[in-house]
Amino acid sequence: MKTNSTQQEILLMTGTTFSSRQFSDRDDDGKKSKLSEREQLEEACWNGLLPQMLPEIYEHPKDDKKLYMWQITEAASFIEIELGELPEEKEKIFSIDPYSFLPLQFLS
């Protein structure tokens, strides 16, 4: 029997004023960070700053199960963040990632 689990995808567009914000301009040694904007955004997500960056879309499931960040994928103009209770493969037809669902549209 297959159980239902919560999954959430977030696309953060790169090359925007949001992605150009300085989420951490200093590393642990106190020196200026030499990471690109995309790398800084990705690092901020891995460091747990996603709820502070996007409080309006960061929701917890109604039954208080925690969502864990399982993967960050880079694309040409965005980074995709996959959150979920368990590390499951996403159903491509329901994904918001255009690289996932567009090939399926052409097959229909």
Side-chain angles (χ1 to χ4, degrees), residues 13-56:
M13 305 309 289
T14 56
T16 63
T17 55
F18 176 79
S19 66
S20 65
R21 281 197 254 168
Q22 295 293 327
F23 294 108
S24 66
D25 38 271
R26 299 194 181 275
D27 59 14
D28 292 338
D29 298 333
K31 299 177 184 173
K32 281 245 180 196
S33 177
K34 297 194 179 5
L35 300 176
S36 69
E37 290 176 4
R38 182 183 295 248
E39 291 169 334
Q40 285 183 12
L41 186 59
E42 191 174 325
E43 184 177 305
C45 292
W46 280 121
N47 288 338
L49 295 177
L50 192 59
Q52 289 85 13
M53 294 185 323
L54 300 169
E56 62 275 3

Side-chain angles (χ1 to χ4, degrees), residues 1 8-9 11 15 19 26 39 41 51 59-61 74 79 82 86 89 93 106:
M1 184 172 149
Q8 183 177 16
E9 288 179 277
L11 297 184
S19 66
R26 299 194 181 275
E39 291 169 334
L41 186 59
E59 296 181 2
H60 290 285
E74 284 190 39
I79 61 172
E82 293 183 34
L86 305 167
E89 187 172 336
I93 194 74
F106 292 125

Side-chain angles (χ1 to χ4, degrees), residues 38-96:
R38 182 183 295 248
E39 291 169 334
Q40 285 183 12
L41 186 59
E42 191 174 325
E43 184 177 305
C45 292
W46 280 121
N47 288 338
L49 295 177
L50 192 59
Q52 289 85 13
M53 294 185 323
L54 300 169
E56 62 275 3
I57 66 167
Y58 192 83
E59 296 181 2
H60 290 285
K62 291 179 178 44
D63 52 3
D64 288 332
K65 293 182 181 176
K66 289 191 175 192
L67 295 181
Y68 300 98
M69 186 178 317
W70 294 108
Q71 184 171 350
I72 295 180
T73 307
E74 284 190 39
S77 59
F78 62 86
I79 61 172
E80 176 189 20
I81 302 166
E82 293 183 34
L83 304 167
E85 296 174 46
L86 305 167
E88 295 180 327
E89 187 172 336
K90 63 184 174 188
E91 293 186 43
K92 292 183 179 186
I93 194 74
F94 298 115
S95 176
I96 61 173

